[in-house]
Amino acid sequence: GTSAGSMLHLGGRVAFCFFGERNWAAHEKDKKASMIQYASPITGLFTQVQRVGPTSMACPPNIWAGLHDAALSAVSIGGARSAAHRQHETREELLPAAAQWAASKFGDRMQQLATGGAPTPPDLLKFAHEVARRIPGTCTLVDSYGCTECGAVAMDGRQNGSKFDQVIVRLVDRPDLGFSHRDAPHARGEVVVSSPSVALGYIGNREAEAAAFIVIDSTQDMPCPKGIAPPLPDGRWYRTGDIAMVDRTRKLTLIDRATAIVSTKEHQTVRTGELEAALERMPNVLHAIVHASPDWVGAVAIISVHDEDIAGPLALGDTVDHPGHARNAAAVLPTQDLPHGLYWQVAVTNVRWTAANGMLSGELKKKRGTLLMTYKASLEELHRRCDRMILHGLPFAEFGRGGGGEGAAK
């Protein structure tokens, strides 16, 4: 019975949405399909935030990314300079002013900010911390970790506070990927979670449900499966698919998705997510995709960059060689000598991957399957270069280590 005006005055806004078994298809198809055209309405959103004056707010990466881009544009002399001029101002140089601009959009009552909804890239997390520091008062920011299937798992890698009293986190060995609770100096493995919030399963997908959820009840002759070590206690457990480590202080640090850890033909382990994050921390790199496979000897990467020197906008799926960007990439990629290291080929595109062109989800997560299909020809050409160099002894001067030298890969 409270009027909308009163709700705004009190700083409260609540929204509910419900998808049950009967309309789940609409959620999985219609809603997600429409998200391809989704874009966060940053201006409208923060106009409302300033009016409402909330004291706490959690933002997924797409909100932080939209705010980040808006802030950079605003502080770069109102966007009056050309893109070619602005690209020489690194994000680091503009960060303080951009964070100050963004902080002013959260109102004067904000006390706590949080990330959430999806992993927040390191550059956006750094930006979020800078924003929190510039909000008047004692605003804090926490990097939250959780899953739809099990709820909140940790904040800043720890389980501080009563909300985690019934949340149990364990690491189980993944010998297929080389992770064990006996690893030194810190235990490593796949994160499994038991809590009252663990989901009952997946509607219409029993196979995925059986792989993801474990029920252990010693009183009902339901012991921990033999393949799981260390053994888990009684409870309903969810296998997150996240690989993490736990240090001596019990801080949980995510390493990568299990599905993002692959092996090359010569059994070299490649952590694609970790390497993509490293590439995306480089100046002017917007996104990166790393690919390795048991079918190929080397590993390859495609990076999406902001670079006015690349002639014209490339077509989606096309790449070019760029020795400068390739050298920069090689500096952050593992390029040790064979037989215990990796050889790389790197190609470049100046197409920005977005939700609008289908390369990112509405939450700004990379749609890996779509990217791999879109850039399939380029990735295969890069792999062929690596294999020719490694297997046939062709000189690196011809094809380049850490960079291509045969022209555009299409």
Side-chain angles (χ1 to χ4, degrees):
T2 307
S3 68
S6 297
M7 287 182 69
L8 289 174
H9 177 73
L10 294 171
R13 165 164 282 202
V14 181
F16 294 94
C17 63
F18 173 73
F19 289 93
E21 186 173 3
R22 294 182 180 178
N23 65 343
W24 192 254
H27 172 270
E28 290 296 292
K29 296 178 182 178
D30 301 339
K31 175 176 174 283
K32 288 188 175 181
S34 67
M35 290 288 278
I36 292 177
Q37 301 299 324
Y38 173 84
S40 298
I42 295 298
T43 302
L45 171 65
F46 281 94
T47 297
Q48 295 180 57
V49 169
Q50 288 179 306
R51 291 174 179 171
V52 171
T55 58
S56 178
M57 184 172 177
C59 301
N62 59 336
I63 299 299
W64 287 116
L67 186 63
H68 186 226
D69 289 347
L72 289 176
S73 179
V75 301
S76 189
I77 313 192
R81 302 192 204 183
S82 68
H85 192 177
R86 289 202 307 272
Q87 77 177 25
H88 297 293
E89 294 178 305
T90 68
R91 294 183 179 186
E92 285 293 321
E93 292 171 337
L94 292 174
L95 181 61
Q100 186 63 53
W101 182 91
S104 68
K105 305 303 176 184
F106 283 95
D108 57 5
R109 299 204 311 152
M110 188 63 64
Q111 297 175 16
Q112 185 179 70
L113 293 173
T115 65
T120 303
D123 61 327
L124 291 181
L125 188 58
K126 181 178 180 179
F127 171 71
H129 277 290
E130 291 294 330
V131 170
R133 277 195 281 267
R134 285 167 171 77
I135 292 176
T138 57
C139 183
T140 61
L141 179 131
V142 294
D143 185 24
S144 60
Y145 167 51
C147 307
T148 302
E149 292 87 345
C150 65
V153 175
M155 288 187 176
D156 291 332
R158 302 188 184 280
Q159 293 184 297
N160 296 327
S162 59
K163 70 180 294 182
F164 297 111
D165 285 350
Q166 299 183 70
V167 180
I168 305 171
V169 177
R170 296 285 189 272
L171 298 184
V172 297
D173 295 349
R174 287 296 302 263
D176 56 321
L177 301 177
F179 297 99
S180 168
H181 69 285
R182 295 188 177 90
D183 289 345
H186 305 305
R188 302 185 304 171
E190 181 181 355
V191 178
V192 294
V193 180
S194 177
S195 81
S197 299
V198 170
L200 298 178
Y202 298 125
I203 295 175
N205 195 339
R206 297 296 184 186
E207 185 178 349
E209 182 178 316
F213 297 93
I214 306 166
V215 178
I216 302 171
D217 189 343
S218 56
T219 66
Q220 299 295 321
D221 195 26
M222 300 172 65
C224 180
K226 292 182 178 179
I228 294 179
L232 297 170
D234 285 7
R236 182 175 179 82
W237 296 85
Y238 170 64
R239 302 190 68 150
T240 66
D242 294 322
I243 303 298
M245 69 176 184
V246 174
D247 65 18
R248 293 177 181 177
T249 69
R250 303 302 301 166
K251 182 179 181 180
L252 183 74
T253 301
L254 296 181
I255 296 174
D256 217 330
R257 291 287 295 168
T259 53
I261 302 174
V262 294
S263 179
T264 69
K265 196 171 186 177
E266 291 194 336
H267 309 293
Q268 299 298 315
T269 300
V270 180
R271 300 176 187 169
T272 59
E274 183 179 56
L275 295 173
E276 287 169 7
L279 289 169
E280 289 167 356
R281 287 193 290 269
M282 294 166 48
N284 295 324
V285 173
L286 304 173
H287 293 287
I289 185 166
V290 170
H291 186 259
S293 164
D295 297 328
W296 300 96
V297 175
V300 303
I302 293 175
I303 55 177
S304 168
V305 301
H306 173 72
D307 191 338
E308 293 286 323
D309 294 333
I310 298 176
L314 296 173
L316 189 63
D318 287 352
T319 61
V320 296
D321 296 319
H322 193 292
H325 287 301
R327 282 193 297 270
N328 292 339
V332 301
L333 295 172
T335 54
Q336 303 158 8
D337 291 333
L338 287 174
H340 301 296
L342 288 169
Y343 285 105
W344 290 86
Q345 284 285 300
V346 179
V348 174
T349 177
N350 61 358
V351 176
R352 186 181 184 126
W353 300 338
T354 66
N357 60 28
M359 298 300 103
L360 304 182
S361 70
E363 297 88 354
L364 297 190
K365 296 179 182 178
K366 281 177 290 193
K367 298 174 73 171
R368 188 170 185 83
T370 302
L371 283 164
L372 292 178
M373 287 300 299
T374 303
Y375 288 91
K376 181 179 179 180
S378 294
L379 291 167
E380 289 181 349
E381 172 59 21
L382 293 171
H383 275 300
R384 282 192 289 269
R385 294 184 193 180
C386 271
D387 283 14
R388 284 198 296 265
M389 287 188 293
I390 298 167
L391 299 179
H392 302 293
L394 295 179
F396 287 98
E398 180 178 346
F399 296 106
R401 181 173 180 175
E406 292 184 324
K410 296 183 180 180

